[in-house]
Amino acid sequence: MKLSVIGCGYLGAAHAAAMASIGHEVIGIDVDQRKIDALAKGEPPFFEPGLAEILAEGIASGRLRFTTDLADAADATVHFVGVGTPQQKDGYAADLTSVNAAVDALLPYLTEGDIVAGKSTVPVGTAAVLAERVSPTGATLVWNPEFLREGWAVEDTIDPDRLVAGVPAGDEGERAASVLREVYHPSVAKGTPFIVTDYATAELVKVAANAFLATKISFINAMAEISEATGADVTQLADAIGYDARIGRRFLGAGIGFGGGCLPKDIRAFAARAEELGRGESVAFLRQVDEINMRRRDRAVQLVVDGLGGSPFKKNITVLGAAFKPHSDDIRDSPGLDVAVRLHGLGAWVTITDPAAIDNAQRIHPQLNYVHDRDDALRGADAVIVVTEWDEYRRELSPDHATALATGRVIVDGRNCLDAAAWRAAGWNYYGMGRP
Ligand code: UDX
């Protein structure tokens, strides 16, 4: 099929390349000329494992092209809209400027029978409004939320765990759903659940999923706070409750909390939308989820300060990680970077390293000292804090190796990802999150 993908950020670029890799003819469109130039050369404008390979394949096959000219979407019959919906500058609601602009700009190129498939995360009620604008062209709007995780974007797009299509009522909706089934034919053929809903449900599936995940993380971080008050170990607690199949161990990783371009802004936008709907109290707990999450950053800073005997002033602190999670160069709302900035603010000499995110971090926080080589970053450290659980720090850094480089013996494990016993045995003062 001929597809267009409007918006080539983390979501859109992965979607365009993945759709080409399953056999479609795809045109990726973005207003950012630099992004398009890079993608057209087969170079992902951000770090995403596996993306370079399928970009190159798609371009070589002739099935994948990139442009800034929306008129090139005219040939396509299904148009995916995957532009950003960031938090508004002056509030918690989502900023829909890009979604509205993308759909409006697409209208002149739509023809009878086309499908516009919204992928962006939007406040419930948005699709119904957009559908009214799309409808006079003879095209149909569907809402097809995206659940990909950064770092696994290619895998999650080619082989998702479920597909959701919010469609209008009646024959028009049925036809639209069957077109989407055809788009995702390999997944549908192997039995991936394909759930057809109305618009509101499809929009809500996305925000509800992210709200649930954020709540799960903040739940275990709340247990970390209680563990800190009682001498319990939250990692053992998580293991033990995680064996209950109804609970499950995934997303029970206590630490410095969640960040990134989705969970923080999505729970805030959800709460703001619920307020507008007069149902603020239904998701009032999301405010606490947010607060617990932010408190963990304070705790991490406190552990470093305590470890250094009460003052980080003029102390060398090495921060291992900058990305909001491993396998990504994304620093949007990165808890680890926030911790680094706060330590800098307390007068410490902060050195940061990260396998992928240094360039992005440096652009936003030029005041910190960035070092590419992990061992160079560790040299002379009075204290070390792990904020992103990259394998380079979690598996490949032995305590003895760190001993030979650092000056001090303070290690703060912001992701509870290190072997506490091994670090202690090597003479380090190990501090975990919610661990004795
Ligand atoms: C998330 C959703 O998982 C995905 O389905 C949605 O499409 C977009 O938002 P992503 O932002 O890529 O994906 O990251 P995710 O893997 O969910 O992690 C989010 C944050 O939570 C990271 O900062 C991570 O470090 C943190 N986290 C995750 C924890 O603190 N503990 C955990 O146990 C798991």
Side-chain angles (χ1 to χ4, degrees):
M1 296 176 78
K2 290 191 176 179
L3 317 178
S4 81
V5 178
I6 297 146
C8 290
Y10 287 94
L11 189 168
H15 192 69
M19 291 300 105
S21 87
I22 60 170
H24 298 298
E25 200 176 304
V26 185
I27 180 87
I29 305 170
D30 199 289
V31 292
D32 183 341
Q33 184 74 52
R34 273 200 328 192
K35 213 179 262 176
I36 288 300
D37 290 346
L39 286 165
K41 281 189 272 176
E43 294 164 9
F46 44 79
F47 179 89
E48 185 60 54
L51 182 56
E53 290 80 354
I54 60 166
L55 267 181
E57 273 169 34
I59 293 166
S61 71
R63 285 197 307 272
L64 179 60
R65 290 179 304 122
F66 292 94
T67 178
T68 54
D69 188 358
L70 203 62
D72 285 3
D75 279 351
T77 50
V78 181
H79 308 271
F80 290 97
V81 178
V83 296
T85 50
Q87 186 177 321
Q88 281 179 6
K89 294 208 165 43
D90 55 355
Y92 276 177
D95 180 347
L96 297 178
T97 312
S98 301
V99 174
N100 289 330
V103 171
D104 283 343
L106 187 60
L107 295 178
Y109 306 107
L110 295 176
T111 47
E112 184 80 33
D114 279 4
I115 303 284
V116 179
K119 286 207 140 308
S120 308
T121 302
V122 292
V124 55
T126 306
V129 175
L130 294 175
E132 287 188 14
R133 290 199 231 168
V134 168
S135 181
T137 66
T140 300
L141 182 88
V142 303
W143 214 259
N144 174 220
E146 180 57 60
F147 306 104
L148 67 81
R149 300 159 296 167
E150 285 179 29
W152 307 93
V154 172
E155 204 175 307
D156 286 353
T157 311
I158 294 179
D159 189 16
D161 48 18
R162 79 288 209 191
L163 291 155
V164 175
V167 301
D171 290 349
E172 186 190 3
E174 270 175 37
R175 196 193 74 83
S178 73
V179 174
L180 266 201
R181 277 200 187 86
E182 208 178 319
V183 170
Y184 295 115
H185 64 98
S187 297
V188 173
K190 71 177 266 225
T192 302
F194 188 97
I195 302 153
V196 180
T197 68
D198 53 33
Y199 288 145
T201 306
E203 292 166 315
L204 270 176
V205 168
K206 171 68 193 195
V207 283
N210 278 356
F212 191 89
L213 293 172
T215 303
K216 202 171 175 190
I217 297 169
S218 278
F219 175 83
I220 202 65
N221 278 329
M223 296 306 108
E225 292 185 335
I226 303 296
S227 298
E228 280 151 14
T230 54
D233 185 333
V234 75
T235 61
Q236 286 187 308
L237 171 78
D239 290 343
I241 64 172
Y243 283 118
D244 183 330
R246 293 168 303 173
I247 297 173
R249 182 63 173 84
R250 292 177 74 188
F251 273 68
L252 283 184
I256 57 170
F258 58 81
C262 293
L263 299 192
K265 74 144 172 95
D266 287 354
I267 60 167
R268 291 172 186 168
F270 192 12
R273 182 68 184 130
E275 286 282 346
E276 286 169 9
L277 294 167
R279 289 286 185 276
E281 64 191 18
S282 302
V283 292
F285 66 92
L286 289 178
R287 188 187 160 132
Q288 284 176 343
V289 166
D290 205 348
E291 283 171 356
I292 293 166
N293 192 51
M294 300 309 284
R295 280 205 298 272
R296 300 319 285 161
R297 304 178 184 188
D298 303 339
R299 172 71 183 171
V301 170
Q302 193 58 48
L303 285 177
V304 177
V305 172
D306 290 351
L308 287 168
S311 171
F313 194 71
K314 290 192 177 176
K315 292 282 170 56
N316 290 305
I317 299 173
T318 297
V319 178
L320 297 178
F324 84 103
K325 68 173 195 179
H327 315 292
S328 172
D329 65 352
D330 196 347
I331 54 146
R332 285 177 294 171
D333 219 329
S334 164
L337 200 50
D338 190 23
V339 167
V341 169
R342 292 192 202 187
L343 289 167
H344 174 82
L346 294 173
W349 285 312
V350 175
T351 297
I352 302 202
T353 185
D354 187 285
I358 287 186
D359 291 349
N360 286 342
Q362 197 157 25
R363 216 169 298 132
I364 309 292
H365 296 294
Q367 73 276 29
L368 305 174
N369 180 33
Y370 295 90
V371 172
H372 281 274
D373 185 78
R374 183 199 68 191
D375 288 359
D376 287 345
L378 285 168
R379 215 160 267 126
D382 295 307
V384 178
I385 175 166
V386 178
V387 296
T388 316
E389 67 277 34
W390 287 97
D391 280 347
E392 283 83 341
Y393 317 137
R394 190 166 65 117
R395 291 183 202 276
E396 294 157 20
L397 176 62
S398 76
D400 287 337
H401 188 72
T403 302
L405 298 166
T407 311
R409 295 289 174 264
V410 174
I411 177 88
V412 176
D413 185 0
R415 294 293 183 180
N416 288 342
C417 62
L418 304 177
D419 180 344
W423 283 83
R424 289 198 172 115
W428 286 75
N429 295 315
Y430 171 95
Y431 300 85
M433 304 288 295
R435 310 183 76 180

